[in-house]
Amino acid sequence: MAIVVNKPLPEFEANATGGIKVSNTSHLGQILVLYFYPKDNTPGCTTEAMQFRDKYKDFVKAGAAVFGVSRDNMKSHDDFKEKLELPFELIADTEEKMCHMFGVVKNKIMYGKKVKGIERSTFLIGPDGLLVQEWRGLKVPGHVDEVLKAVKSIKALKKAA
């Protein structure tokens, strides 16, 4: 089942570092940021993780939980998290269930060969469990600031209501 903006997320459950389980209902009442990235310890993914790390306190202050998602296993995630001192958890989607649900598995050309890879994408889920916004095929520079701005606008709307 595909995900659609302004609709609830389909049912899912995933394991994250820190022994945490994340599901479509685990963070109701809280803003949820799921950012999908190709691979631990690669240049773009490291930069993106560090930018989320550096703005993490701002996300928490705005009422958001942040999770990174990739196909890497838990050991790889634990090492990546420790190396970069990430304050948020990483979801190990080794069976690509979430990647397929969110439609981020794409055919890419790498070194002249066709490979299946993860398209760098971020999804913003509101406190009501509805998908608010999505960024697909994004570039790292400036992206985290854009997501933070969107999170703050949800918080402002919530306050005004």
Side-chain angles (χ1 to χ4, degrees), residues 128-145:
D128 52 6
L130 299 181
L131 178 64
V132 177
Q133 198 169 345
E134 59 183 19
W135 293 265
R136 293 180 179 272
L138 57 93
K139 300 282 179 246
V140 173
H143 173 64
V144 171
D145 290 328

Side-chain angles (χ1 to χ4, degrees), residues 90-150:
L90 301 174
I91 295 172
D93 189 28
T94 52
E95 294 174 9
E96 298 182 6
K97 285 180 181 163
M98 284 180 72
C99 291
H100 283 291
M101 185 178 105
F102 282 87
V104 299
V105 178
K106 301 286 180 208
N107 286 320
K108 296 176 164 184
I109 306 285
M110 239 170 157
Y111 308 113
K113 286 190 169 105
K114 264 190 182 175
V115 295
K116 273 197 186 304
I118 303 301
E119 179 183 53
R120 192 179 308 281
S121 307
T122 300
F123 299 89
L124 184 56
I125 296 99
D128 52 6
L130 299 181
L131 178 64
V132 177
Q133 198 169 345
E134 59 183 19
W135 293 265
R136 293 180 179 272
L138 57 93
K139 300 282 179 246
V140 173
H143 173 64
V144 171
D145 290 328
E146 204 179 312
V147 176
L148 183 59
K149 198 167 136 188

Side-chain angles (χ1 to χ4, degrees), residues 71-96:
R71 300 179 301 182
D72 294 301
N73 63 32
M74 210 56 87
K75 167 94 176 89
S76 174
H77 276 348
D78 283 335
D79 294 346
F80 189 53
K81 189 176 177 242
E82 187 180 329
K83 181 177 159 189
L84 298 181
E85 298 177 6
L86 302 178
F88 51 86
E89 305 303 334
L90 301 174
I91 295 172
D93 189 28
T94 52
E95 294 174 9
E96 298 182 6

Side-chain angles (χ1 to χ4, degrees), residues 11 17 41 47 55 62 84 109 117 123 137-138 141 155:
E11 268 187 43
T17 50
N41 295 305
T47 300
K55 299 277 182 184
L84 298 181
I109 306 285
F123 299 89
L138 57 93
K155 189 179 181 195

